[in-house]
Amino acid sequence: MTTDTLTPITTALAINGQRLWDSLMTLAQIGATDKGGVSRLALTDLDRQGRELFVRWTREAGCTIRVDAIGNIFARREGSDAARPAVATGSHIDTQPTGGKFDGNYGVLAGLEVLRTLNDAGVRTVAPLEVCVWTNEEGSRFVPVMMGSGVYAGDFTLETALAAVDRDGISVEHALQAIGFAGSAPAAVADGAPRFGAYFEAHIEQGPVLEDADIPLGVVTGALGQRWYDVTVTGQEAHAGPTPMRLRRDALQAATALMQEVVATAMDEQPDGRGTVGYVQVYPNSRNVIPGKVVFTVDFRHANDEGLSRMDARLRQACAAAQAGGRVQVQVEQTVYYPPAHFAPELVAAVRHGAERAGLPHVDIVSGAGHDAVYVARTAPTSMIFVPCKDGISHNEIEDASPEHLAAGCNVLLHAMLEQAGVAAT
Ligand SMILES: [Zn+2]
């Protein structure tokens, strides 16, 4: 697209890995935990401190700041052609209660490092560049998750998001005002928020695939679709002694058979299917009472929608079969549906080119987790860059990543952004 405007100087350009690491460690001090992690929940005073640090750093890098009505922050570095849509990157800086230093923070600070590198080299791009901080990606304090990017893309309304409350009854609207980040710019593309020309998000993988394959870089081609369910199995509570086996209506026995079916369903959809039962509630949960009711969750993921539909059909079939004998009733309710995301081929290619320029081994990978990029992809060409994280662990205080891998991913981001934004003649 704009590859022809790349000069030899920009091809040789490289980010400062030490400076990137130092920014990560400095931001990680805000909300630092004893075990080496970070606890910086969305829209708390610690989040305010993190946001203000980002704003200070990007202002020092010459950016102008825009804050929208859901608190998303956009730091903008002008290009030579102000009419071109921005080439953007970013992620989130809120964390889980016992989160790590890299999830989200890496994508934001990698964007900052790209801007600093271009400043040092005196490189001006044709399209403007923007680095985004999306509000409440983690969904730990306020639901829905990926709130800022979800409003931006129009998956739910600004009003819905502002009205969400935490466990103490504090609303997003109130919390944004309290930390001084209730901005005036429109939050949703439908309300006039600018669309990007391209969006990249660098992120730790949050899974073990890259480390297992000993490959430093994942070219992310899309994200798994998701279907979540609440399943309720109802039988009859009865005494564990006097009730003979053949006369029981044991909800837990029926439920465990369904749970096995969830895993078997995913095993028949390899390598792209995932099936998880992560929450189980047994009633009355007493050792000498036959369980009368079991509630459990199902989390199905798949790289394509046909696969996800097959999994859905098999779950419903199994639930129908379980109640066919008349011993139990099974109610299955889908609570969440995210279609699989397929990232823009030209941006996936830009990430691949970036890896080639940086001389890095790379592999195509599909994201198993949700990310802000998945929402942004509904409004603009999008792709992601994955770097390995230690033992594939995240959402944990021991989350770790190597400075070399983080720097490598940031170099790929730099070159992918330059390819899309173009370099202005000096
Ligand atoms: Zn994240």
Side-chain angles (χ1 to χ4, degrees):
M1 170 175 287
T2 47
T3 328
D4 52 340
T5 60
L6 272 178
T7 67
I9 296 167
T10 53
T11 306
L13 210 56
I15 62 96
N16 182 334
Q18 185 63 49
R19 181 170 57 190
L20 170 63
W21 182 259
D22 291 345
S23 340
L24 280 160
M25 294 307 111
T26 303
L27 181 55
Q29 284 165 18
I30 302 173
T33 64
D34 291 344
K35 291 180 185 159
V38 179
S39 178
R40 196 188 314 122
L41 267 63
L43 310 185
T44 56
D45 192 65
L46 290 170
D47 189 19
R48 174 189 64 78
Q49 293 175 42
R51 286 161 170 265
E52 285 177 354
L53 182 60
F54 171 79
V55 167
R56 178 161 71 76
W57 278 342
T58 46
R59 280 212 172 108
E60 284 167 3
C63 292
T64 53
I65 304 293
R66 182 172 81 247
V67 180
D68 72 16
I70 194 62
N72 297 322
I73 310 170
F74 304 87
R76 180 178 174 96
R77 183 183 193 263
E78 285 303 337
S80 63
D81 183 355
R84 285 264 302 264
V87 170
T89 190
S91 195
H92 59 95
I93 63 167
D94 67 315
T95 75
Q96 292 285 328
T98 52
K101 298 190 276 286
F102 304 100
D103 178 2
N105 298 292
Y106 171 56
V108 170
L109 297 179
L112 170 67
E113 179 53 36
V114 165
L115 302 188
R116 287 172 166 174
T117 300
L118 296 178
N119 286 350
D120 289 350
V123 173
R124 192 171 190 207
T125 53
V126 177
L129 303 182
E130 292 194 1
V131 180
C132 324
V133 174
W134 301 104
T135 293
N136 182 36
E137 193 273 347
E138 296 288 1
S140 186
R141 181 178 174 201
F142 298 105
V143 177
V145 300
M146 299 185 284
M147 180 176 276
S149 53
V151 169
Y152 176 78
D155 195 69
F156 41 86
T157 65
L158 172 66
E159 290 67 33
T160 302
L162 290 176
V165 290
D166 68 7
R167 281 185 198 130
D168 299 323
I170 298 169
S171 69
V172 166
E173 183 171 24
H174 185 270
L176 276 170
Q177 282 161 0
I179 67 164
F181 278 88
S184 54
V189 168
D191 294 333
R195 274 179 205 271
F196 304 126
Y199 178 79
F200 297 98
E201 183 166 343
H203 209 284
I204 55 167
E205 183 200 343
Q206 301 183 283
V209 175
L210 292 175
E211 186 179 65
D212 184 57
D214 197 20
I215 293 174
L217 196 105
V219 177
V220 188
T221 58
L224 298 182
Q226 307 181 29
R227 283 183 191 268
W228 296 1
Y229 307 83
D230 289 342
V231 181
T232 305
V233 181
T234 310
Q236 178 69 59
E237 282 170 33
H239 197 301
T243 319
M245 299 308 284
R246 66 183 179 83
L247 295 178
R248 293 178 177 214
R249 298 176 57 204
D250 186 332
L252 182 57
Q253 290 307 309
T256 52
L258 289 171
M259 293 176 203
Q260 294 298 319
E261 184 65 11
V262 166
V263 174
T265 298
M267 290 305 288
D268 287 344
E269 295 284 347
Q270 290 308 295
D272 293 327
R274 314 263 193 281
T276 305
V277 175
Y279 172 98
V280 182
Q281 197 74 56
V282 179
Y283 299 92
N285 213 16
S286 169
R287 77 169 64 232
N288 50 14
V289 181
I290 299 161
K293 186 169 92 164
V294 176
V295 177
F296 65 96
T297 60
V298 176
D299 176 326
F300 276 153
R301 303 188 187 211
H302 204 290
N304 62 65
D305 225 11
E306 300 75 54
L308 211 49
S309 298
R310 277 193 301 273
M311 296 174 91
D312 175 80
R314 194 160 150 186
L315 175 66
R316 290 180 190 281
Q317 203 173 27
C319 290
Q323 62 178 6
R327 293 286 174 97
V328 294
Q329 277 104 50
V330 185
Q331 209 181 29
V332 48
E333 186 195 349
Q334 182 178 300
T335 55
V336 164
Y337 168 60
Y338 293 121
H342 304 285
F343 289 152
E346 70 273 20
L347 262 65
V348 174
V351 172
R352 214 174 273 130
H353 297 156
E356 281 152 17
R357 285 207 180 93
L360 288 169
H362 53 89
V363 64
D364 286 4
I365 189 169
V366 177
S367 173
H371 291 289
D372 293 310
V374 175
Y375 275 140
V376 179
R378 298 182 189 181
T379 68
T382 294
S383 183
M384 293 187 74
I385 297 163
F386 274 180
V387 297
C389 58
K390 192 167 184 296
D391 302 325
I393 290 172
S394 78
H395 285 193
N396 190 317
E397 290 162 278
I398 64 167
E399 176 185 284
D400 202 6
S402 83
E404 294 73 28
H405 288 155
L406 295 166
C410 189
N411 270 318
V412 173
L413 177 66
L414 167 72
H415 288 293
M417 290 183 78
L418 282 178
E419 180 183 302
Q420 289 298 306
V423 173
T426 42

